[in-house]
Amino acid sequence: MTVYVNQLGGDLPRVGPPPEGGALIVWALDTGRGVVAGHAVEEAAAVLDAAERERAGRLVRHTDRHAYLASHLGLRVLLGGYLGQAPADVSLIREECPCCGGPHGRPAVAGGGLHFSLSHTAGVAYLAFAAIPVGVDVEGTPGPAVVTDVLSTLHPTETAELTSLAEADRPVALGRLWARKEAVLKATGAGLALGVAEPYVGSGSTPAQVTGWSLRDLTAPPGYAAAVALANP
């Protein structure tokens, strides 16, 4: 599976038909933009729903709030394009959590029909769309202290892989590993509830095979790593 990453800019995107079968569509966005997909980010409240506005309002830092608004604005425009709806009319829900059954599982479109995943961090967002469960994640390269903090929480083989590297090489390898791990956990809906030891995704140049999923690294800007997990049809 080779995945091309589309760039979402200030103009209204040409989305084409929604993905079918095992097809996957991925978009990347600079969340620092003032205009996203034909909409001013400062006017995003008119497009987002009450839950999104409430979440944005809880973010204290302006940069965090702007990134949230920009990425969710982009999400709604793309979903609306694929579903043939106005962005503000797209109804979003939470699926049941696979761990506890609570209403905080994967974000989803009410009524189904299209799966999506959104990830954003430090100025960059990735959005993935498919007809089957999908998860995407983008991570900035962590600092050395983060590597030390999380080493013992990973799969034992991943811990061994990272500790075998020179200290200077560990942050990039961990960023790559963490993007893969989060992509799978988002796709399953489990999130971090059960920890990050499983599944084993590897820290090398190629992701490990994960049963039931196609896991691939995505092209990313310097200083970032990104990955996507798609359910096997």
Side-chain angles (χ1 to χ4, degrees):
M1 178 178 67
T2 301
V3 187
Y4 175 75
V5 179
N6 304 282
Q7 297 299 313
L8 183 60
D11 296 331
L12 192 65
R14 297 181 180 180
V15 298
E20 298 180 345
L24 170 67
I25 302 174
V26 178
W27 295 78
L29 167 68
D30 173 358
T31 59
R33 301 187 62 91
V35 177
V36 172
H39 297 261
V41 175
E42 65 180 12
E43 299 173 0
V47 178
L48 306 187
D49 63 22
E52 290 168 310
R53 293 193 296 270
E54 193 273 336
R55 174 69 183 274
R58 295 204 309 265
L59 298 173
V60 177
R61 294 178 57 196
H62 171 75
T63 53
D64 293 341
R65 186 166 59 253
H66 186 93
Y68 180 91
L69 293 173
S71 58
H72 280 254
L73 181 58
L75 172 66
R76 283 186 164 274
V77 170
L78 291 169
L79 283 173
Y82 291 128
L83 297 172
Q85 301 178 20
D89 292 340
V90 176
S91 179
L92 300 179
I93 62 170
R94 285 277 187 171
E95 296 179 344
E96 287 186 358
C97 172
C99 302
C100 70
H104 47 258
R106 293 189 312 147
V109 176
L114 182 65
H115 293 261
F116 70 89
S117 182
L118 163 65
S119 176
H120 63 86
T121 183
V124 179
Y126 276 61
L127 307 97
F129 303 87
I132 51 182
V134 62
V136 72
D137 191 64
V138 58
E139 299 286 337
T141 301
V146 175
V147 178
T148 301
D149 288 343
V150 304
L151 266 179
S152 63
T153 68
L154 304 173
H155 188 283
T157 303
E158 292 167 345
T159 301
E161 290 172 359
L162 290 172
T163 53
S164 71
L165 298 174
E167 287 192 17
D169 296 330
R170 293 176 188 174
V172 170
L174 177 62
R176 187 164 54 217
L177 180 156
W178 201 265
R180 296 168 182 170
K181 188 89 67 172
E182 285 263 29
V184 176
L185 295 177
K186 287 182 178 181
T188 64
L192 303 178
L194 301 179
V196 294
E198 298 290 347
Y200 169 72
V201 297
S203 61
S205 58
T206 304
Q209 292 186 350
V210 178
T211 302
W213 301 91
S214 293
L215 178 60
R216 294 291 184 273
D217 292 338
L218 300 173
T219 57
Y224 294 86
V228 65
L230 182 68
N232 290 336

Short mmCIF file of all heavy atoms in Angstrom, two decimals, residues 75-129:
data_model
loop_
_atom_site.label_atom_id
_atom_site.label_comp_id
_atom_site.label_asym_id
_atom_site.label_seq_id
_atom_site.Cartn_x
_atom_site.Cartn_y
_atom_site.Cartn_z
N LEU A 75 -11.37 19.07 8.64
CA LEU A 75 -12.07 17.80 8.70
C LEU A 75 -13.50 17.92 8.20
O LEU A 75 -13.96 17.10 7.39
CB LEU A 75 -12.07 17.29 10.15
CG LEU A 75 -12.91 16.05 10.42
CD1 LEU A 75 -12.34 14.84 9.70
CD2 LEU A 75 -13.01 15.78 11.93
N ARG A 76 -14.20 18.94 8.66
CA ARG A 76 -15.61 19.10 8.29
C ARG A 76 -15.76 19.43 6.80
O ARG A 76 -16.69 18.94 6.15
CB ARG A 76 -16.27 20.16 9.15
CG ARG A 76 -16.60 19.67 10.54
CD ARG A 76 -17.39 20.66 11.35
NE ARG A 76 -17.99 19.99 12.51
CZ ARG A 76 -19.14 19.35 12.48
NH1 ARG A 76 -19.85 19.32 11.35
NH2 ARG A 76 -19.62 18.76 13.55
N VAL A 77 -14.87 20.23 6.27
CA VAL A 77 -14.96 20.56 4.84
C VAL A 77 -14.73 19.29 4.01
O VAL A 77 -15.45 19.03 3.03
CB VAL A 77 -13.93 21.64 4.46
CG1 VAL A 77 -13.86 21.80 2.94
CG2 VAL A 77 -14.32 22.98 5.10
N LEU A 78 -13.73 18.49 4.38
CA LEU A 78 -13.45 17.28 3.62
C LEU A 78 -14.57 16.25 3.77
O LEU A 78 -15.01 15.64 2.79
CB LEU A 78 -12.12 16.68 4.08
CG LEU A 78 -10.88 17.51 3.70
CD1 LEU A 78 -9.64 16.98 4.42
CD2 LEU A 78 -10.65 17.51 2.20
N LEU A 79 -15.06 16.05 5.00
CA LEU A 79 -16.18 15.13 5.19
C LEU A 79 -17.40 15.59 4.40
O LEU A 79 -18.07 14.78 3.75
CB LEU A 79 -16.54 15.03 6.67
CG LEU A 79 -15.64 14.17 7.55
CD1 LEU A 79 -16.03 14.32 9.02
CD2 LEU A 79 -15.69 12.71 7.14
N GLY A 80 -17.69 16.89 4.45
CA GLY A 80 -18.83 17.41 3.70
C GLY A 80 -18.68 17.17 2.21
O GLY A 80 -19.65 16.82 1.52
N GLY A 81 -17.45 17.34 1.70
CA GLY A 81 -17.22 17.10 0.29
C GLY A 81 -17.45 15.65 -0.10
O GLY A 81 -18.08 15.36 -1.13
N TYR A 82 -16.97 14.73 0.71
CA TYR A 82 -17.14 13.31 0.40
C TYR A 82 -18.59 12.86 0.57
O TYR A 82 -19.07 11.98 -0.15
CB TYR A 82 -16.24 12.45 1.30
CG TYR A 82 -14.77 12.61 1.00
CD1 TYR A 82 -13.86 12.91 2.01
CD2 TYR A 82 -14.28 12.44 -0.30
CE1 TYR A 82 -12.50 13.05 1.73
CE2 TYR A 82 -12.93 12.58 -0.58
CZ TYR A 82 -12.05 12.88 0.44
OH TYR A 82 -10.71 13.03 0.16
N LEU A 83 -19.30 13.45 1.54
CA LEU A 83 -20.67 13.02 1.85
C LEU A 83 -21.73 13.82 1.12
O LEU A 83 -22.92 13.49 1.21
CB LEU A 83 -20.90 13.12 3.37
CG LEU A 83 -20.02 12.23 4.25
CD1 LEU A 83 -20.21 12.58 5.72
CD2 LEU A 83 -20.33 10.76 4.00
N GLY A 84 -21.32 14.88 0.43
CA GLY A 84 -22.29 15.72 -0.26
C GLY A 84 -23.13 16.56 0.69
O GLY A 84 -24.31 16.80 0.45
N GLN A 85 -22.51 17.02 1.77
CA GLN A 85 -23.20 17.83 2.77
C GLN A 85 -22.44 19.13 3.02
O GLN A 85 -21.23 19.20 2.77
CB GLN A 85 -23.32 17.08 4.10
CG GLN A 85 -24.07 15.76 4.02
CD GLN A 85 -24.09 15.05 5.37
OE1 GLN A 85 -23.89 15.66 6.42
NE2 GLN A 85 -24.35 13.75 5.36
N ALA A 86 -23.14 20.12 3.54
CA ALA A 86 -22.46 21.32 4.01
C ALA A 86 -21.61 20.94 5.22
O ALA A 86 -22.03 20.10 6.03
CB ALA A 86 -23.47 22.40 4.39
N PRO A 87 -20.43 21.54 5.38
CA PRO A 87 -19.57 21.18 6.51
C PRO A 87 -20.27 21.25 7.86
O PRO A 87 -20.06 20.37 8.72
CB PRO A 87 -18.43 22.20 6.41
CG PRO A 87 -18.36 22.54 4.96
CD PRO A 87 -19.79 22.52 4.49
N ALA A 88 -21.10 22.27 8.07
CA ALA A 88 -21.77 22.43 9.36
C ALA A 88 -22.85 21.37 9.59
O ALA A 88 -23.28 21.15 10.73
CB ALA A 88 -22.38 23.82 9.46
N ASP A 89 -23.30 20.71 8.50
CA ASP A 89 -24.38 19.72 8.63
C ASP A 89 -23.87 18.31 8.92
O ASP A 89 -24.67 17.42 9.19
CB ASP A 89 -25.21 19.69 7.35
CG ASP A 89 -26.00 20.98 7.14
OD1 ASP A 89 -26.20 21.71 8.13
OD2 ASP A 89 -26.38 21.26 5.99
N VAL A 90 -22.56 18.11 8.86
CA VAL A 90 -22.01 16.78 9.15
C VAL A 90 -22.18 16.49 10.64
O VAL A 90 -21.72 17.25 11.49
CB VAL A 90 -20.52 16.70 8.75
CG1 VAL A 90 -19.95 15.35 9.15
CG2 VAL A 90 -20.35 16.94 7.26
N SER A 91 -22.84 15.39 10.96
CA SER A 91 -23.10 15.03 12.35
C SER A 91 -22.06 14.03 12.82
O SER A 91 -21.94 12.93 12.27
CB SER A 91 -24.50 14.43 12.49
OG SER A 91 -24.77 14.06 13.83
N LEU A 92 -21.30 14.42 13.85
CA LEU A 92 -20.23 13.57 14.38
C LEU A 92 -20.65 12.97 15.72
O LEU A 92 -21.28 13.63 16.54
CB LEU A 92 -18.96 14.39 14.56
CG LEU A 92 -18.39 15.04 13.30
CD1 LEU A 92 -17.14 15.84 13.63
CD2 LEU A 92 -18.08 13.98 12.24
N ILE A 93 -20.26 11.71 15.92
CA ILE A 93 -20.57 11.00 17.15
C ILE A 93 -19.31 10.30 17.66
O ILE A 93 -18.26 10.36 17.03
CB ILE A 93 -21.68 9.96 16.94
CG1 ILE A 93 -21.20 8.90 15.92
CG2 ILE A 93 -22.97 10.62 16.49
CD1 ILE A 93 -22.12 7.70 15.82
N ARG A 94 -19.44 9.64 18.79
CA ARG A 94 -18.39 8.77 19.31
C ARG A 94 -18.93 7.35 19.35
O ARG A 94 -20.03 7.11 19.87
CB ARG A 94 -17.98 9.19 20.72
CG ARG A 94 -17.11 10.43 20.76
CD ARG A 94 -15.66 10.08 20.49
NE ARG A 94 -14.78 11.23 20.67
CZ ARG A 94 -13.47 11.15 20.68
NH1 ARG A 94 -12.86 9.98 20.53
NH2 ARG A 94 -12.73 12.22 20.83
N GLU A 95 -18.16 6.41 18.81
CA GLU A 95 -18.54 5.02 18.90
C GLU A 95 -18.32 4.50 20.32
O GLU A 95 -17.68 5.15 21.14
CB GLU A 95 -17.71 4.19 17.91
CG GLU A 95 -17.96 4.55 16.46
CD GLU A 95 -17.10 3.73 15.52
OE1 GLU A 95 -16.12 3.12 15.99
OE2 GLU A 95 -17.40 3.70 14.32
N GLU A 96 -18.85 3.32 20.59
CA GLU A 96 -18.61 2.70 21.90
C GLU A 96 -17.14 2.35 22.05
O GLU A 96 -16.49 1.90 21.11
CB GLU A 96 -19.45 1.43 22.05
CG GLU A 96 -20.92 1.67 22.24
CD GLU A 96 -21.66 0.38 22.53
OE1 GLU A 96 -21.01 -0.69 22.54
OE2 GLU A 96 -22.88 0.44 22.75
N CYS A 97 -16.61 2.58 23.25
CA CYS A 97 -15.23 2.21 23.53
C CYS A 97 -15.11 0.68 23.53
O CYS A 97 -15.89 0.01 24.21
CB CYS A 97 -14.81 2.77 24.89
SG CYS A 97 -13.19 2.18 25.45
N PRO A 98 -14.17 0.10 22.79
CA PRO A 98 -14.04 -1.36 22.76
C PRO A 98 -13.51 -1.93 24.08
O PRO A 98 -13.59 -3.14 24.31
CB PRO A 98 -13.03 -1.60 21.63
CG PRO A 98 -12.23 -0.35 21.57
CD PRO A 98 -13.19 0.75 21.90
N CYS A 99 -13.00 -1.06 24.95
CA CYS A 99 -12.46 -1.52 26.23
C CYS A 99 -13.51 -1.57 27.33
O CYS A 99 -13.54 -2.51 28.13
CB CYS A 99 -11.30 -0.63 26.66
SG CYS A 99 -9.93 -0.56 25.48
N CYS A 100 -14.38 -0.54 27.37
CA CYS A 100 -15.34 -0.46 28.47
C CYS A 100 -16.78 -0.27 28.02
O CYS A 100 -17.69 -0.31 28.85
CB CYS A 100 -14.95 0.68 29.41
SG CYS A 100 -15.19 2.33 28.70
N GLY A 101 -17.00 -0.04 26.72
CA GLY A 101 -18.35 0.14 26.23
C GLY A 101 -18.89 1.55 26.41
O GLY A 101 -20.04 1.83 26.03
N GLY A 102 -18.09 2.45 26.97
CA GLY A 102 -18.52 3.83 27.16
C GLY A 102 -18.57 4.61 25.86
O GLY A 102 -17.99 4.19 24.85
N PRO A 103 -19.23 5.78 25.87
CA PRO A 103 -19.40 6.57 24.64
C PRO A 103 -18.19 7.44 24.33
O PRO A 103 -18.32 8.65 24.06
CB PRO A 103 -20.64 7.41 24.96
CG PRO A 103 -20.53 7.65 26.43
CD PRO A 103 -19.95 6.37 27.02
N HIS A 104 -17.01 6.87 24.36
CA HIS A 104 -15.81 7.66 24.08
C HIS A 104 -14.85 6.87 23.19
O HIS A 104 -13.64 6.96 23.34
CB HIS A 104 -15.12 8.08 25.38
CG HIS A 104 -14.96 6.95 26.36
ND1 HIS A 104 -15.77 6.79 27.45
CD2 HIS A 104 -14.09 5.91 26.41
CE1 HIS A 104 -15.41 5.73 28.13
NE2 HIS A 104 -14.37 5.16 27.51
N GLY A 105 -15.42 6.11 22.26
CA GLY A 105 -14.61 5.37 21.30
C GLY A 105 -14.19 6.25 20.13
O GLY A 105 -14.05 7.46 20.27
N ARG A 106 -14.01 5.64 18.97
CA ARG A 106 -13.53 6.38 17.80
C ARG A 106 -14.54 7.46 17.37
O ARG A 106 -15.74 7.21 17.38
CB ARG A 106 -13.32 5.44 16.62
CG ARG A 106 -12.21 4.44 16.78
CD ARG A 106 -11.96 3.70 15.48
NE ARG A 106 -13.21 3.23 14.89
CZ ARG A 106 -13.43 3.14 13.59
NH1 ARG A 106 -12.51 3.50 12.73
NH2 ARG A 106 -14.59 2.67 13.13
N PRO A 107 -14.08 8.64 16.99
CA PRO A 107 -14.98 9.61 16.36
C PRO A 107 -15.52 9.03 15.06
O PRO A 107 -14.80 8.31 14.35
CB PRO A 107 -14.07 10.81 16.09
CG PRO A 107 -12.89 10.63 16.98
CD PRO A 107 -12.69 9.15 17.11
N ALA A 108 -16.77 9.30 14.75
CA ALA A 108 -17.40 8.71 13.57
C ALA A 108 -18.47 9.65 13.04
O ALA A 108 -18.95 10.55 13.73
CB ALA A 108 -18.00 7.35 13.91
N VAL A 109 -18.87 9.41 11.80
CA VAL A 109 -19.98 10.11 11.19
C VAL A 109 -21.27 9.40 11.59
O VAL A 109 -21.35 8.17 11.49
CB VAL A 109 -19.85 10.14 9.65
CG1 VAL A 109 -21.07 10.79 9.02
CG2 VAL A 109 -18.58 10.87 9.24
N ALA A 110 -22.25 10.14 12.05
CA ALA A 110 -23.53 9.54 12.41
C ALA A 110 -24.11 8.82 11.20
O ALA A 110 -24.15 9.38 10.11
CB ALA A 110 -24.50 10.61 12.91
N GLY A 111 -24.54 7.60 11.38
CA GLY A 111 -25.08 6.82 10.28
C GLY A 111 -24.05 6.04 9.51
O GLY A 111 -24.40 5.23 8.64
N GLY A 112 -22.76 6.25 9.79
CA GLY A 112 -21.69 5.50 9.13
C GLY A 112 -21.51 5.90 7.68
O GLY A 112 -21.89 7.00 7.26
N GLY A 113 -20.92 4.99 6.92
CA GLY A 113 -20.70 5.24 5.50
C GLY A 113 -19.32 5.74 5.14
O GLY A 113 -18.88 5.59 4.00
N LEU A 114 -18.63 6.36 6.07
CA LEU A 114 -17.27 6.83 5.83
C LEU A 114 -16.51 6.87 7.14
O LEU A 114 -16.99 7.43 8.13
CB LEU A 114 -17.31 8.24 5.20
CG LEU A 114 -15.95 8.84 4.83
CD1 LEU A 114 -15.28 8.04 3.73
CD2 LEU A 114 -16.12 10.30 4.39
N HIS A 115 -15.35 6.26 7.16
CA HIS A 115 -14.50 6.29 8.35
C HIS A 115 -13.44 7.37 8.18
O HIS A 115 -13.00 7.65 7.07
CB HIS A 115 -13.81 4.93 8.53
CG HIS A 115 -14.75 3.82 8.86
ND1 HIS A 115 -14.96 3.37 10.15
CD2 HIS A 115 -15.56 3.06 8.07
CE1 HIS A 115 -15.85 2.39 10.14
NE2 HIS A 115 -16.22 2.17 8.89
N PHE A 116 -13.04 7.96 9.30
CA PHE A 116 -12.02 9.00 9.25
C PHE A 116 -11.17 8.97 10.50
O PHE A 116 -11.54 8.39 11.53
CB PHE A 116 -12.65 10.39 9.08
CG PHE A 116 -13.40 10.87 10.30
CD1 PHE A 116 -12.75 11.59 11.30
CD2 PHE A 116 -14.76 10.61 10.45
CE1 PHE A 116 -13.43 12.03 12.43
CE2 PHE A 116 -15.45 11.04 11.57
CZ PHE A 116 -14.78 11.76 12.56
N SER A 117 -10.02 9.63 10.42
CA SER A 117 -9.14 9.79 11.57
C SER A 117 -8.41 11.10 11.43
O SER A 117 -8.02 11.49 10.32
CB SER A 117 -8.15 8.63 11.67
OG SER A 117 -7.33 8.75 12.81
N LEU A 118 -8.23 11.79 12.54
CA LEU A 118 -7.56 13.10 12.56
C LEU A 118 -6.48 13.10 13.63
O LEU A 118 -6.70 12.63 14.74
CB LEU A 118 -8.59 14.20 12.85
CG LEU A 118 -8.05 15.57 13.30
CD1 LEU A 118 -7.25 16.23 12.20
CD2 LEU A 118 -9.20 16.47 13.74
N SER A 119 -5.32 13.65 13.29
CA SER A 119 -4.24 13.83 14.26
C SER A 119 -3.59 15.17 14.00
O SER A 119 -3.35 15.54 12.84
CB SER A 119 -3.20 12.71 14.11
OG SER A 119 -2.09 12.93 14.98
N HIS A 120 -3.29 15.92 15.07
CA HIS A 120 -2.55 17.17 14.88
C HIS A 120 -1.59 17.39 16.03
O HIS A 120 -1.85 17.00 17.17
CB HIS A 120 -3.50 18.37 14.72
CG HIS A 120 -4.35 18.68 15.92
ND1 HIS A 120 -3.92 19.46 16.96
CD2 HIS A 120 -5.61 18.32 16.22
CE1 HIS A 120 -4.89 19.58 17.85
NE2 HIS A 120 -5.92 18.89 17.44
N THR A 121 -0.45 17.99 15.70
CA THR A 121 0.56 18.30 16.70
C THR A 121 1.46 19.41 16.20
O THR A 121 1.87 19.41 15.04
CB THR A 121 1.43 17.05 17.01
OG1 THR A 121 2.37 17.37 18.05
CG2 THR A 121 2.20 16.58 15.80
N ALA A 122 1.72 20.39 17.02
CA ALA A 122 2.73 21.42 16.77
C ALA A 122 2.75 21.92 15.33
O ALA A 122 3.77 21.90 14.67
CB ALA A 122 4.11 20.89 17.15
N GLY A 123 1.60 22.37 14.84
CA GLY A 123 1.55 23.03 13.54
C GLY A 123 1.20 22.17 12.35
O GLY A 123 1.07 22.67 11.24
N VAL A 124 1.05 20.85 12.55
CA VAL A 124 0.76 19.95 11.44
C VAL A 124 -0.43 19.06 11.80
O VAL A 124 -0.52 18.57 12.93
CB VAL A 124 1.98 19.06 11.10
CG1 VAL A 124 1.65 18.11 9.96
CG2 VAL A 124 3.18 19.93 10.74
N ALA A 125 -1.33 18.86 10.83
CA ALA A 125 -2.44 17.92 11.01
C ALA A 125 -2.48 16.95 9.85
O ALA A 125 -2.14 17.31 8.71
CB ALA A 125 -3.77 18.67 11.11
N TYR A 126 -2.86 15.71 10.14
CA TYR A 126 -3.08 14.70 9.10
C TYR A 126 -4.51 14.18 9.26
O TYR A 126 -4.99 13.98 10.38
CB TYR A 126 -2.10 13.54 9.25
CG TYR A 126 -0.76 13.78 8.60
CD1 TYR A 126 0.06 14.83 9.00
CD2 TYR A 126 -0.32 12.97 7.56
CE1 TYR A 126 1.29 15.06 8.41
CE2 TYR A 126 0.91 13.20 6.95
CZ TYR A 126 1.71 14.23 7.37
OH TYR A 126 2.92 14.47 6.77
N LEU A 127 -5.17 13.99 8.12
CA LEU A 127 -6.55 13.51 8.11
C LEU A 127 -6.65 12.34 7.13
O LEU A 127 -6.19 12.46 5.99
CB LEU A 127 -7.52 14.62 7.68
CG LEU A 127 -7.44 15.94 8.46
CD1 LEU A 127 -6.56 16.94 7.70
CD2 LEU A 127 -8.82 16.54 8.67
N ALA A 128 -7.23 11.23 7.56
CA ALA A 128 -7.34 10.04 6.73
C ALA A 128 -8.80 9.64 6.59
O ALA A 128 -9.59 9.76 7.54
CB ALA A 128 -6.54 8.89 7.33
N PHE A 129 -9.16 9.15 5.39
CA PHE A 129 -10.54 8.78 5.09
C PHE A 129 -10.56 7.44 4.36
O PHE A 129 -9.73 7.19 3.49
CB PHE A 129 -11.21 9.84 4.22
CG PHE A 129 -11.19 11.22 4.83
CD1 PHE A 129 -10.10 12.06 4.63
CD2 PHE A 129 -12.24 11.66 5.61
CE1 PHE A 129 -10.07 13.32 5.20
CE2 PHE A 129 -12.21 12.92 6.19
CZ PHE A 129 -11.13 13.75 5.98
#
